[in-house]
Amino acid sequence: MKVAIYVTSHGFGHASRQAALVNEFIKFGIECVICSDRPRFLFPQESGLVQFREIQPDTGMFQTTWKSPDVDKTIKVLKEFWADKDAFVAQEKDFMTSQKIDFAVVDVPILPIIAANELDIPVYAITNFDWHFNYRGMPLVKEDNEFKVILKEIEDIYSRLDKSYILPFSIPESVKVLANPVKFGNLVKIKDYSREELCASYNIPKDKIIVLISFGGILSDISYFNNLTQDDRYFFLTNADIEVRSNVKILARDVDFSTLISACDVVITKVGYSTLAEVSSNGTYLCYATRDDFPEDDALVSELVHYPQSSHFKLENGKLDITLPNEIPQKIIYDRFKPANEEIALDMIKTYFSRYTSLKATLDFGTNNSTLMIYSLDGDNVIPHLRSIVITALGKGLKDNLLTEQAIDKAIEKCYWQFKLCQVLDIPLQAVATNIGRICKNFYLVQSKIRELWRRELVLIHASLEAELGGLSAINSLPKEYNLYSIDIGGSSTEICLIKNRAITNKISIQSGILYYYNKLQSDDFLDIQKEIYDDLELKLQKHSILDHTVKLACGIGKVYQNINCILKDSDFFYNEVEVQNFNVNELSKMLMSIMYSNEELTYTDIDNNQLNKKILYISISTILAWNKLLGIEQLAINPFGIEYGLAINTLEK
């Protein structure tokens, strides 16, 4: 599943809260394309599930200072942008089509709504105000007939939204033109950053009252704070231009202030959704100033009457009237302001999937990974919609065929989002455990915990069925009736099927896999690993009769093959493919060996955003090369789906 996130070109707050939404989506395995011109540091780091697309999706409001808008420039630039709206819409339609976008989220650019509508792609707004509200409330707007026409068009476009998520710090007037509104709680970045860490990072004495001064993305003269900073009871952090003293630290412009709000004692700021939401969700004391001619401020300030940990300060004629707490204030978090990030993301996903009537899910709980697939049925066809892979490392450190308590707890924690999503969607789930369950004497502990937490059964399947499911995945992923092997390299076993004329004629399961060799092999040298794996697989294959010298094609199944495919494509991170990739084995071997003997350090990042372990890489490549040679394979097709797809096919056929 892929989502386009359009973030307004106005300030940093909208970007900050959409970063929080993206963080939720990626937990569920949803790929996000962030369409924005906001600074990169505001968003999650790029990965296989997060892409950045540099684009200006709207014009927002222009400001010369934090306190007041530049109305003339705001109107002028919007008119120019609006004059090219047809070209913009056409561009976004091409993007959404080529990238196979499933739904779009706007906060709250206008024109992407048209593109999504014309492609029948659901589009959801999430905000505390709309641009129609802010624009129509500016001075001089009523005197500009051309601008009034644009306002009417904006109102019409917002009326086409499939759903509008209304955040706190809004009033009915600020979101009244948004279609299908539903109220939700705060959407904020959640940072686990303590006061102790903050003091250590900036060498702040612990008895000082830590004050963060933030006026958003607009650099403004705030020299009127110089008198305030002379009070040594306080330590001030800011990225604005004020006089440097021993109790003042000037921060770089790319410091993400959301990381500091949870740890400081007081925040001095102008009103703006993101800062207010982050402050209130952390229970931090707030000193705020309002702005001139910003209609949004009415909505923001109205919510602060419910936040007693705040006070309004005034700035008139360059003079500051502000009162700070005399001691370190206690942090108080009110239920009204608690983050609702997960709730919002899940509701968007549920809203999208409500268009399908035959939604189901399968889950492959393996030795190293847990793979969830949510799909629907179109006649006799399985249509995958969402595929989530998490690295559980359940079999890491396996000894005497016993799972450690730590490994079990970690695996259950990693799978939380997969089971949670199925629960929220209220869909049938077939969850199967493979070889790790067959070889571990205490695997019943995993099954009982999943049953207790989620009321779902994790069914242990035998090796023959596991191999068959891999074969079904291969058969239904290739367009022609090939004779081939399906090879599913897992964590602790490898399953192979011999397939002729779309029928499985033979199947085997061998005790060999990535974590199996990781736990067994002592050497970290590639040549040693390669020889030991080849010799081990050659010996084990001799005990089976699956070898057919007329078959020259194999279909590689599972994440091991997908990892190699990503590395071959010179990717910096794992990318969840959706189409079969084909390779000539001789060329593939040369490419893989060149990677092994390259002087360059591999920086490939796995699905969990951790760098792939070098020994795991050596084992993966050695295993693939060994099977290619032992089976006499000349062509290799890498299947993006594993046995979770075969499980859906198997259910359909029954």
Side-chain angles (χ1 to χ4, degrees):
M1 173 176 282
K2 188 179 288 189
V3 178
I5 312 278
Y6 287 90
V7 183
T8 185
S9 298
H10 179 79
F12 288 176
H14 302 264
S16 183
R17 67 189 180 200
Q18 288 314 302
L21 183 62
V22 170
N23 279 330
E24 294 301 317
F25 280 151
I26 62 179
K27 292 174 184 175
F28 299 106
I30 296 175
E31 184 180 351
C32 299
V33 185
I34 300 171
C35 306
S36 174
D37 62 356
R38 299 296 82 192
R40 292 283 181 90
F41 74 84
L42 294 169
F43 297 105
Q45 68 184 74
E46 193 160 357
S47 71
L49 292 176
V50 180
Q51 300 177 43
F52 295 97
R53 176 171 172 252
E54 193 77 25
I55 180 178
Q56 181 186 348
D58 63 10
T59 56
M61 291 179 72
F62 284 84
Q63 299 170 246
T64 52
T65 71
W66 66 266
K67 194 160 174 51
S68 56
D70 185 334
V71 176
D72 290 336
K73 188 173 183 180
T74 296
I75 294 175
K76 177 179 180 294
V77 173
L78 178 61
K79 286 179 179 178
E80 293 170 352
F81 185 79
W82 211 254
D84 293 328
K85 67 178 184 299
D86 291 343
F88 180 91
V89 170
Q91 166 189 287
E92 295 315 292
K93 287 173 67 176
D94 288 343
F95 156 71
M96 292 181 188
T97 301
S98 65
Q99 291 295 309
K100 299 179 181 178
I101 297 298
D102 291 293
F103 67 88
V105 177
V106 294
D107 184 3
V108 251
I110 305 150
L111 296 182
I113 300 170
I114 301 177
N117 284 165
E118 293 183 359
L119 295 172
D120 194 29
I121 292 174
V123 55
Y124 313 132
I126 180 163
T127 188
N128 64 310
F129 76 94
D130 59 64
W131 282 119
H132 184 270
F133 168 72
N134 255 16
Y135 288 150
R136 76 175 183 266
M138 292 190 306
L140 307 178
V141 168
K142 294 179 181 179
E143 303 170 11
D144 190 323
N145 289 328
E146 181 184 353
F147 196 73
K148 285 193 288 185
V149 172
I150 294 175
L151 274 178
K152 185 67 180 73
E153 292 181 15
I154 291 174
E155 181 179 1
D156 174 66
I157 295 168
Y158 277 143
S159 72
R160 307 177 201 177
L161 287 161
D162 292 279
K163 195 167 186 177
S164 299
Y165 291 78
I166 309 304
L167 300 171
F169 299 97
S170 61
I171 55 176
E173 189 70 12
S174 69
V175 291
K176 76 172 187 178
V177 302
L178 300 180
N180 304 310
V182 181
K183 288 187 176 182
F184 275 86
N186 269 338
L187 176 62
V188 295
K189 279 185 180 178
I190 300 173
K191 297 292 182 179
D192 185 16
Y193 191 59
S194 69
R195 191 179 194 276
E196 290 71 23
E197 290 173 302
L198 180 60
C199 289
S201 297
Y202 295 106
N203 197 25
I204 304 171
K206 293 183 179 180
D207 61 339
K208 298 290 186 183
I209 301 172
I210 306 172
V211 180
L212 179 67
I213 302 176
S214 171
F215 285 88
I218 305 296
L219 274 178
S220 302
D221 175 21
I222 60 168
S223 57
Y224 36 82
F225 280 102
N226 288 336
N227 290 335
L228 186 66
T229 60
Q230 293 178 22
D231 192 331
D232 288 333
R233 291 177 300 168
Y234 306 95
F235 193 98
F236 297 89
L237 299 170
T238 185
N239 60 8
D241 186 17
I242 60 175
E243 183 180 332
V244 177
R245 295 171 49 84
S246 61
N247 65 333
V248 174
K249 175 67 176 178
I250 306 297
L251 306 175
R253 287 290 295 164
D254 61 354
V255 170
D256 188 350
F257 272 45
S258 64
T259 63
L260 307 178
I261 286 174
S262 62
C264 69
D265 302 312
V266 180
V267 173
I268 297 175
T269 187
K270 50 85 176 173
V271 291
Y273 172 88
S274 185
T275 305
L276 300 190
E278 289 166 7
V279 166
S280 59
S281 67
N282 282 287
T284 305
Y285 192 89
L286 171 70
C287 292
Y288 66 91
T290 53
R291 300 169 292 184
D292 300 327
D293 300 323
F294 272 88
E296 182 193 2
D297 282 19
D298 293 338
L300 296 167
V301 174
S302 70
E303 189 73 21
L304 288 176
V305 300
H306 304 288
Y307 190 64
Q309 292 282 93
S310 64
S311 63
H312 181 215
F313 74 86
K314 296 179 181 179
L315 175 66
E316 295 178 354
N317 300 321
K319 293 183 179 181
L320 187 66
D321 180 9
I322 187 170
T323 302
L324 298 180
N326 292 319
E327 56 186 25
I328 297 174
Q330 180 185 359
K331 288 186 180 286
I332 302 175
I333 301 176
Y334 300 90
D335 288 341
R336 184 185 186 94
F337 299 105
K338 287 182 178 178
N341 300 7
E342 180 183 319
E343 180 186 0
I344 292 169
L346 281 169
D347 192 85
M348 283 190 179
I349 300 168
K350 186 175 182 179
T351 300
Y352 170 77
F353 276 126
S354 64
R355 55 173 42 198
Y356 298 101
T357 56
S358 59
L359 214 58
K360 302 177 185 295
T362 55
L363 186 139
D364 168 19
F365 195 89
T367 303
N368 193 48
N369 309 308
S370 176
T371 304
L372 171 73
M373 185 180 77
I374 294 177
Y375 66 96
S376 63
L377 299 176
D378 182 9
D380 292 333
N381 297 318
V382 171
I383 311 298
H385 296 294
L386 185 149
R387 189 162 180 262
S388 162
I389 305 173
V390 295
I391 298 175
T392 63
L394 179 64
K396 194 172 182 179
L398 184 68
K399 189 175 181 181
D400 298 328
N401 288 339
L402 287 171
L403 297 168
T404 67
E405 184 178 345
Q406 182 181 9
I408 293 173
D409 290 342
K410 179 184 176 183
I412 297 296
E413 179 186 351
K414 289 287 186 179
C415 295
Y416 169 86
W417 304 105
Q418 295 178 328
F419 285 100
K420 177 74 173 183
L421 183 56
C422 292
Q423 181 190 66
V424 169
L425 295 177
D426 192 24
I427 55 177
L429 169 66
Q430 281 189 289
V432 298
T434 51
N435 191 61
I436 190 68
R438 296 192 291 268
I439 64 175
C440 291
K441 293 179 284 189
N442 61 342
F443 188 76
Y444 67 91
L445 295 174
V446 178
Q447 293 172 298
S448 63
K449 284 195 174 188
I450 288 176
R451 187 182 302 116
E452 178 184 351
L453 289 170
W454 301 107
R455 297 183 181 178
R456 301 281 191 172
E457 292 298 325
L458 183 58
V459 179
L460 180 59
I461 60 174
H462 52 77
S464 176
L465 178 56
E466 182 179 355
E468 181 180 338
L469 295 178
L472 289 173
S473 182
I475 291 169
N476 288 275
S477 297
L478 296 174
K480 297 179 181 179
E481 294 187 3
Y482 293 116
N483 294 335
L484 72 149
Y485 297 103
S486 66
I487 309 173
D488 183 5
I489 302 173
S492 58
S493 69
T494 296
E495 281 67 45
I496 301 176
C497 285
L498 178 61
I499 300 168
K500 291 193 171 183
N501 298 320
R502 298 184 68 83
I504 297 171
T505 61
N506 199 354
K507 52 193 175 184
I508 63 172
S509 178
I510 294 177
Q511 290 296 107
S512 66
I514 304 306
L515 284 186
Y516 169 84
Y517 287 124
Y518 184 86
N519 292 329
K520 179 181 179 181
L521 301 180
Q522 300 299 315
S523 176
D524 289 335
D525 180 75
F526 175 64
L527 290 178
D528 291 343
I529 289 173
Q530 188 179 26
K531 184 178 187 310
E532 288 193 54
I533 288 178
Y534 184 87
D535 290 346
D536 182 64
L537 291 178
E538 183 181 36
L539 183 64
K540 289 176 176 175
L541 187 61
Q542 291 173 0
K543 301 176 182 178
H544 300 276
S545 59
I546 198 167
L547 193 61
D548 186 328
H549 294 291
T550 67
V551 176
K552 302 298 181 182
L553 170 67
C555 182
I557 290 171
K559 188 173 176 297
V560 174
Y561 281 99
Q562 287 190 68
N563 270 342
I564 299 302
N565 182 34
C566 293
I567 293 171
L568 290 173
K569 293 170 69 174
D570 199 25
S571 173
D572 291 331
F573 41 72
F574 177 88
Y575 180 78
N576 199 357
E577 288 281 3
V578 294
E579 296 177 355
V580 173
Q581 305 293 311
N582 296 289
F583 295 94
N584 175 280
V585 164
N586 285 335
E587 295 176 1
L588 174 68
S589 299
K590 291 177 183 178
M591 288 188 289
L592 290 176
M593 294 303 290
S594 69
I595 291 173
M596 291 301 92
Y597 293 112
S598 171
N599 291 325
E600 296 182 10
E601 185 71 22
L602 184 70
T603 57
Y604 176 74
T605 302
D606 210 341
I607 191 69
D608 60 355
N609 275 351
N610 291 317
Q611 190 168 335
L612 186 66
N613 180 286
K614 184 177 286 188
K615 186 176 178 181
I616 293 287
L617 172 66
Y618 288 170
I619 292 170
S620 300
I621 289 180
S622 298
T623 305
I624 290 173
L625 291 174
W627 282 123
N628 288 346
K629 187 174 181 179
L630 288 167
L631 296 174
I633 297 166
E634 296 178 359
Q635 297 290 326
L636 177 66
I638 295 182
N639 181 4
F641 296 100
I643 71 167
E644 74 286 344
Y645 185 59
L647 186 59
I649 296 293
N650 187 54
T651 304
L652 179 64
E653 290 180 351
K654 288 182 178 179

